[in-house]
Amino acid sequence: MNSQQANMEELNTLYLGDCLTEMRKIRPNSIDLIYLDPPFFTEKKHSLKNRDGSTTFSFNDIWGDQESYALFLHERLLVMRDLLSDTGSIFVHCDKSANHIVRALLDAVFGAENFQSEIIWHYKRWSNAKKGLLPSHQNIYFFSKTKNFKFRKVFTAYSDATNLDQILQRRTRNKDNKSVYARDANGKIEIGDAKQGVPLNDVWDIPYLNPKAKERVGYPTQKPLLLLDRIIELVTDEDDVVLDPFCGSGTSCVAAKLLKRRYLGIDQSEDAINLAQSRLQAPVKTDSALLTKGRDSFAKQDSVILECLKGLAFNPVNRNQGIDAILIEQFENTPVLVKVQKSDETLAEAATRLLKAASKKGSKRVFLVQTLIDLNDLPPSRDNIDMIVIQTPSVQIQARSLA
Amino acid sequence: MNSQQANMEELNTLYLGDCLTEMRKIRPNSIDLIYLDPPFFTEKKHSLKNRDGSTTFSFNDIWGDQESYALFLHERLLVMRDLLSDTGSIFVHCDKSANHIVRALLDAVFGAENFQSEIIWHYKRWSNAKKGLLPSHQNIYFFSKTKNFKFRKVFTAYSDATNLDQILQRRTRNKDNKSVYARDANGKIEIGDAKQGVPLNDVWDIPYLNPKAKERVGYPTQKPLLLLDRIIELVTDEDDVVLDPFCGSGTSCVAAKLLKRRYLGIDQSEDAINLAQSRLQAPVKTDSALLTKGRDSFAKQDSVILECLKGLAFNPVNRNQGIDAILIEQFENTPVLVKVQKSDETLAEAATRLLKAASKKGSKRVFLVQTLIDLNDLPPSRDNIDMIVIQTPSVQIQARSLA
DNA sequence: ACGGGAACTGAATCGGAAC
DNA sequence: AGTTCCGATTCAGTTCCCG
């Protein structure tokens, strides 16, 4: 860290130190989102070893009384308020140990009128030792600086029990001022505007970090990337600035980086800063893969490529860039190859790979399944290979809709 | 009510009045469970008409400032503490409006060491246009009088992801002292004792009292019986005494009665007491299809459908023979419907069903996804519906191969 | 700029009609 | 007779508008 710096203008950096002093170097009104995961007032010392056992990360969460905890948080929240831009928001993570204290402090600093939501992060856990209910949630308080806060509406699927047919119908009021469905002159039901889905609610069911997850870096109380992902997307745009004053292993910074936001992280522990630093450099790729996978499974859209070929008699081919399946029935005594376009390749790339494989296998007929809309030209065929491009239903529907 | 009574020894009764004064008539240490659903500090007046419109029930939840609300609740909680037996518990219902105040008061009156759980009651509710997240939970604070509180462990069903077969299998140790599944003389895996399930956690997904539910009596903010069932079963035995100092329409008393517990209800409103009284005569409980069958029973979409539509912006439609999805983008201000042919229907049947649905919805364009080879003719279109048939990749490939 | 009341929203269930 | 499907009903909803 360059001590010459008048303020922390340099973004995408991690700073070592107490956030109270470090934050004072940041320009007021310059931050779009503050996420913080401070000590929870558990009255315990938390420590955990990393995978190879070389480093033990720990932090102290023993305070003796509520007042010292409240004081600690309060003076820091006051600084945070100044840093936040007028369209900015703050998300404070805590749990049952002190959520009422945190909420009261936030009310005092940001004003009860700027309270937006109590988000419940719900996860499943495996344990049954204790008398009582199994704790399986944490609380996140969402406050905005002003009522003019930035918010990007997110929509989710309708409930399975919802009668979607009816949702489409336009509403009106009858002569008794009662809300009813609108009908035209012929008594036929009128259809209303397009529906986008159900607005995201305040209870988030996101899996806790699996003990064996690759994502796990050995830092105690590490949060899932998916949680931060969602928070960041909710209240920031690209290039906005995210500050995490208790960044720990740097999950929020990693999420910000993956989502093309700028970030600032602060932590008191040198070990934590080093860990976060290294996470931000190399493993962004693995994090990115995890995020994609997480999002997919979240949306329940995980799919098998071969689903496209369901109903056909074929042998699946694994670990071959050019081929996904070979049909059991041959064409003019040559194997019929099938390739499905992957989400990270253009149709032209897929075609080139398929043609190369076909040439090698001496195939006379191959099928390329297009899974993404793409208007570029295909490479010319070669070796008299008959390449037939077919489209998945969604591509066909999209093509028609665009027309 | 008999004013001669020195205390409220007479159980299974409802009392009209302010609970502060009424509760003083109850013998200390005589109550096993106190459930209360006080005003939430919403700063609104709540009122609602019953079904036939004959009575309007209402209560006032306007306080002006937090202090008067806190004072009101505090003096009543102090009395409640005295009434509770040493093995007793108190459950206080509130929401984001003042959960931090309620929690702080409970900490003060019952002691932070007797805090047991913050229960999150999560439900899906009809939404409305709002900037921010859709509120969909309320908070229930569970405190015990002493650490020696009564608690009956409740187990819930395993999640779908759990391999239930495996859990049921009896385990033993092999000669290397490794844990393995037990097998009988024939090498068949033995089934072990029934497992009890997963211990109940602190986030409860219970359907909101539906607008159409028979259980509804017209009282504002009425709670579902199921919620009270669960609380009562958790911390009381048969014949134990349940007190609800803000009983309103008497849901807690009805639940207690149905579960063979004794009850005492208090409310300020004569209308409420009358209503609760009559409910206790003929209790009605909604048989929630969601709960008895489970959410999963509704959908379980064919994976083929999801695969066909992957990449499209759509709302899935469940339990409708004619439609599987509605695209979010409309066509000439009419909804675009999509149907995927099922394995047990011919293309013609699928088309007929789709056209019928389209006609009703006034759709001008629909997509039918063909998943099976079929050479029969389609029914003629009707009502000027533009029906576009598209084929899955496997159908296209098969069609080509047959040629 | 506010506080308060009127106006309006929209999806999630259940219940019962339709098949 | 058992499913499937459709419509009623609601507002611990919100927003807007006016004084």
Side-chain angles (χ1 to χ4, degrees):
Chain A
M1 195 170 95
N2 180 0
S3 59
Q4 298 291 315
Q5 240 173 270
N7 60 33
M8 283 183 171
E9 290 295 65
E10 206 170 314
L11 293 166
N12 298 343
T13 321
L14 304 178
Y15 294 90
L16 174 63
D18 182 340
C19 63
L20 184 60
T21 49
E22 296 303 310
M23 284 193 302
R24 294 213 168 104
K25 302 174 187 163
I26 302 176
R27 191 159 38 90
N29 302 308
S30 67
I31 305 290
D32 299 292
L33 163 63
I34 299 177
Y35 165 83
L36 65 156
D37 183 22
F40 283 3
F41 192 62
T42 53
E43 294 294 71
K44 281 178 197 148
K45 189 178 173 183
H46 296 260
S47 52
L48 198 64
K49 273 203 174 85
N50 68 353
R51 276 268 161 71
D52 58 23
S54 59
T55 319
T56 302
F57 299 101
S58 68
F59 66 88
N60 186 16
D61 188 16
I62 301 177
W63 304 85
D65 57 81
Q66 286 190 356
E67 287 67 33
S68 24
Y69 177 74
L71 190 68
F72 169 86
L73 209 52
H74 186 227
E75 53 182 352
R76 281 161 185 78
L77 288 175
L78 284 171
V79 182
M80 290 177 210
R81 191 184 173 282
D82 290 337
L83 301 186
L84 223 46
S85 73
D86 284 353
T87 57
S89 296
I90 182 169
F91 286 69
V92 186
H93 203 124
C94 56
D95 80 353
K96 59 184 161 56
S97 310
N99 61 340
H100 54 309
I101 301 170
V102 171
R103 167 76 187 274
L105 290 173
L106 284 165
D107 266 12
V109 173
F110 289 87
E113 70 281 9
N114 290 314
F115 167 80
Q116 298 301 337
S117 292
E118 178 185 56
I119 297 166
I120 301 298
W121 169 36
H122 173 45
Y123 45 84
K124 292 228 186 319
R125 266 168 75 178
W126 189 242
S127 153
N128 53 4
K130 156 177 175 284
K131 178 179 178 181
L133 299 165
L134 189 64
S136 62
H137 76 274
Q138 291 177 10
N139 313 54
I140 301 171
Y141 290 103
F142 166 18
F143 276 71
S144 59
K145 176 138 171 197
T146 68
K147 68 177 182 190
N148 187 32
F149 63 106
K150 199 181 276 189
F151 189 84
R152 293 154 48 108
K153 212 156 195 182
V154 172
F155 293 94
T156 58
Y158 287 90
S159 162
D160 293 336
T162 297
N163 179 356
L164 202 60
D165 295 354
Q166 190 182 3
I167 297 296
L168 292 172
Q169 294 166 22
R170 193 185 301 283
R171 309 205 48 149
T172 184
R173 282 180 184 274
N174 69 6
K175 57 185 191 301
D176 301 327
N177 201 34
K178 246 184 72 172
S179 178
V180 293
Y181 292 105
R183 287 168 189 277
D184 63 17
N186 304 321
K188 219 181 147 189
I189 279 166
E190 287 183 45
I191 297 298
D193 303 326
K195 301 289 178 199
Q196 312 209 59
V198 185
L200 184 65
N201 71 42
D202 60 8
V203 178
W204 297 357
D205 199 341
I206 294 179
Y208 199 83
L209 278 178
N210 181 303
K212 283 185 183 168
K214 275 191 198 151
E215 190 178 334
R216 210 169 250 279
V217 292
Y219 196 82
T221 75
Q222 191 187 341
K223 300 292 174 292
L225 206 48
L226 207 54
L227 183 70
L228 274 299
D229 184 45
R230 199 179 254 197
I231 292 172
I232 291 172
E233 292 217 302
L234 213 51
V235 295
T236 65
D237 294 312
E238 282 197 10
D239 290 325
D240 279 357
V241 183
V242 178
L243 166 67
D244 186 342
F246 296 87
C247 74
S249 61
T251 306
S252 57
C253 300
V254 170
K257 185 171 182 179
L258 290 172
L259 293 169
K260 299 198 174 66
R261 272 69 172 172
R262 293 178 290 171
Y263 60 87
L264 279 172
I266 305 171
D267 204 281
Q268 296 208 65
S269 150
E270 192 165 355
D271 285 337
I273 290 288
N274 289 338
L275 172 61
Q277 204 70 266
S278 66
R279 258 184 101 185
L280 278 161
Q281 270 144 38
V284 163
K285 203 176 159 192
T286 44
D287 282 327
S288 171
L290 275 163
L291 191 52
T292 316
K293 203 179 140 206
R295 274 208 196 123
D296 273 358
S297 62
F298 206 81
K300 287 180 187 160
Q301 286 198 345
D302 44 47
S303 89
V304 192
I305 282 166
L306 297 179
E307 200 74 46
C308 286
L309 307 177
K310 215 172 173 177
L312 286 178
F314 67 93
N315 291 310
V317 176
N318 296 317
R319 299 163 185 254
N320 186 319
Q321 274 207 327
I323 322 170
D324 289 308
I326 300 175
L327 296 193
I328 287 178
E329 195 175 347
Q330 293 196 321
F331 175 71
E332 293 179 1
N333 293 320
T334 64
V336 180
L337 311 183
V338 183
K339 177 170 167 61
V340 179
Q341 180 192 10
K342 308 298 177 301
S343 59
D344 61 354
E345 61 186 5
T346 65
L347 192 61
E349 284 165 354
T352 306
R353 286 172 181 152
L354 174 58
L355 286 170
K356 192 176 149 199
S359 177
K360 217 155 120 189
K361 298 268 181 301
S363 292
K364 288 190 183 153
R365 171 174 286 172
V366 299
F367 290 97
L368 175 59
V369 179
Q370 181 183 2
T371 62
L372 301 167
I373 283 278
D374 185 340
L375 301 172
N376 292 319
D377 286 335
L378 289 183
S381 190
R382 50 192 248 193
D383 299 327
N384 284 325
I385 299 165
D386 175 23
M387 182 170 71
I388 302 167
V389 178
I390 58 190
Q391 302 174 318
T392 56
S394 57
V395 169
Q396 294 175 64
I397 292 173
Q398 275 177 73
R400 289 285 194 149
S401 300
L402 292 174
Chain B
M1 192 169 96
N2 179 0
S3 60
Q4 298 290 314
Q5 237 174 271
N7 60 33
M8 284 185 172
E9 289 295 68
E10 207 170 314
L11 293 167
N12 298 344
T13 322
L14 304 178
Y15 295 89
L16 173 64
D18 182 341
C19 63
L20 185 60
T21 49
E22 297 303 311
M23 285 194 299
R24 293 215 169 100
K25 303 175 187 163
I26 303 176
R27 189 160 39 89
N29 301 307
S30 68
I31 304 289
D32 299 292
L33 163 64
I34 299 176
Y35 166 83
L36 64 155
D37 184 20
F40 285 3
F41 191 63
T42 54
E43 294 293 71
K44 280 178 198 148
K45 188 179 174 184
H46 296 265
S47 54
L48 200 64
K49 274 199 176 97
N50 67 355
R51 276 266 158 73
D52 59 22
S54 59
T55 320
T56 302
F57 300 102
S58 67
F59 66 88
N60 185 17
D61 187 17
I62 300 176
W63 304 85
D65 56 80
Q66 286 190 356
E67 287 67 33
S68 23
Y69 177 73
L71 191 69
F72 169 87
L73 209 54
H74 187 228
E75 53 182 354
R76 282 160 184 80
L77 288 176
L78 284 170
V79 182
M80 291 178 209
R81 190 182 173 282
D82 289 338
L83 302 185
L84 223 47
S85 74
D86 283 354
T87 56
S89 296
I90 182 167
F91 285 69
V92 186
H93 203 125
C94 57
D95 82 351
K96 59 184 159 55
S97 312
N99 60 342
H100 54 309
I101 301 170
V102 171
R103 167 76 187 275
L105 291 173
L106 285 164
D107 266 11
V109 173
F110 289 86
E113 69 280 8
N114 289 315
F115 167 80
Q116 297 302 335
S117 291
E118 177 186 56
I119 297 166
I120 303 297
W121 170 34
H122 171 47
Y123 46 82
K124 287 179 181 277
R125 218 176 154 277
W126 51 92
S127 69
N128 49 28
K130 181 200 174 194
K131 182 177 178 181
L133 300 165
L134 195 64
S136 65
H137 75 273
Q138 291 177 10
N139 312 56
I140 301 171
Y141 290 102
F142 166 19
F143 276 70
S144 59
K145 175 137 172 196
T146 69
K147 67 178 182 189
N148 188 32
F149 64 105
K150 197 181 277 190
F151 189 85
R152 294 154 44 109
K153 212 154 196 178
V154 171
F155 295 91
T156 54
Y158 289 95
S159 77
D160 287 345
T162 307
N163 182 347
L164 207 55
D165 292 350
Q166 196 169 315
I167 285 173
L168 290 173
Q169 289 161 22
R170 192 187 299 282
R171 284 178 166 273
T172 182
R173 289 186 178 274
N174 69 6
K175 57 185 192 300
D176 300 327
N177 200 35
K178 242 184 80 176
S179 176
V180 293
Y181 294 116
R183 287 168 190 279
D184 63 16
N186 305 320
K188 224 180 137 187
I189 283 172
E190 287 182 41
I191 298 299
D193 305 325
K195 288 287 188 291
Q196 305 182 85
V198 182
L200 187 62
N201 69 42
D202 58 8
V203 179
W204 296 357
D205 197 343
I206 294 178
Y208 197 84
L209 198 56
N210 196 270
K212 286 285 282 180
K214 272 190 194 159
E215 194 178 319
R216 237 173 217 282
V217 293
Y219 195 82
T221 74
Q222 190 186 342
K223 303 291 175 295
L225 260 176
L226 254 143
L227 182 69
L228 273 299
D229 273 359
R230 193 176 268 191
I231 292 172
I232 292 172
E233 293 213 299
L234 211 54
V235 295
T236 65
D237 294 312
E238 282 195 12
D239 289 327
D240 279 356
V241 182
V242 179
L243 166 67
D244 186 343
F246 296 87
C247 74
S249 62
T251 306
S252 56
C253 301
V254 171
K257 184 177 181 183
L258 291 174
L259 292 170
K260 299 196 173 69
R261 271 70 172 171
R262 294 178 289 170
Y263 59 85
L264 278 173
I266 306 170
D267 203 281
Q268 296 208 66
S269 150
E270 192 164 357
D271 285 336
I273 290 288
N274 290 338
L275 172 62
Q277 205 71 266
S278 65
R279 262 184 98 185
L280 279 160
Q281 314 283 307
V284 178
K285 190 170 170 180
T286 297
D287 179 30
S288 163
L290 266 181
L291 280 168
T292 49
K293 290 189 201 161
R295 284 198 178 271
D296 291 342
S297 71
F298 279 78
K300 277 294 167 266
Q301 296 265 15
D302 213 318
S303 60
V304 177
I305 296 171
L306 281 177
E307 182 55 39
C308 290
L309 302 177
K310 199 182 171 187
L312 288 177
F314 67 94
N315 288 311
V317 177
N318 299 313
R319 308 205 293 172
N320 186 313
Q321 281 203 323
I323 321 171
D324 289 309
I326 299 173
L327 297 192
I328 285 176
E329 197 173 345
Q330 295 191 321
F331 174 71
E332 294 179 2
N333 293 321
T334 64
V336 180
L337 312 182
V338 184
K339 176 169 168 65
V340 178
Q341 179 192 12
K342 306 297 176 303
S343 56
D344 61 355
E345 62 186 4
T346 64
L347 192 61
E349 284 167 352
T352 305
R353 287 174 179 152
L354 174 59
L355 285 171
K356 188 179 155 200
S359 174
K360 209 154 119 191
K361 297 280 171 291
S363 290
K364 291 189 181 153
R365 170 174 286 171
V366 300
F367 290 97
L368 175 59
V369 179
Q370 180 183 4
T371 61
L372 300 167
I373 283 281
D374 184 339
L375 302 172
N376 293 320
D377 285 335
L378 288 183
S381 189
R382 51 193 248 195
D383 298 328
N384 285 323
I385 297 165
D386 175 23
M387 182 169 69
I388 301 166
V389 178
I390 58 191
Q391 302 173 317
T392 57
S394 56
V395 170
Q396 293 175 67
I397 292 173
Q398 276 178 73
R400 290 285 193 150
S401 302
L402 292 174

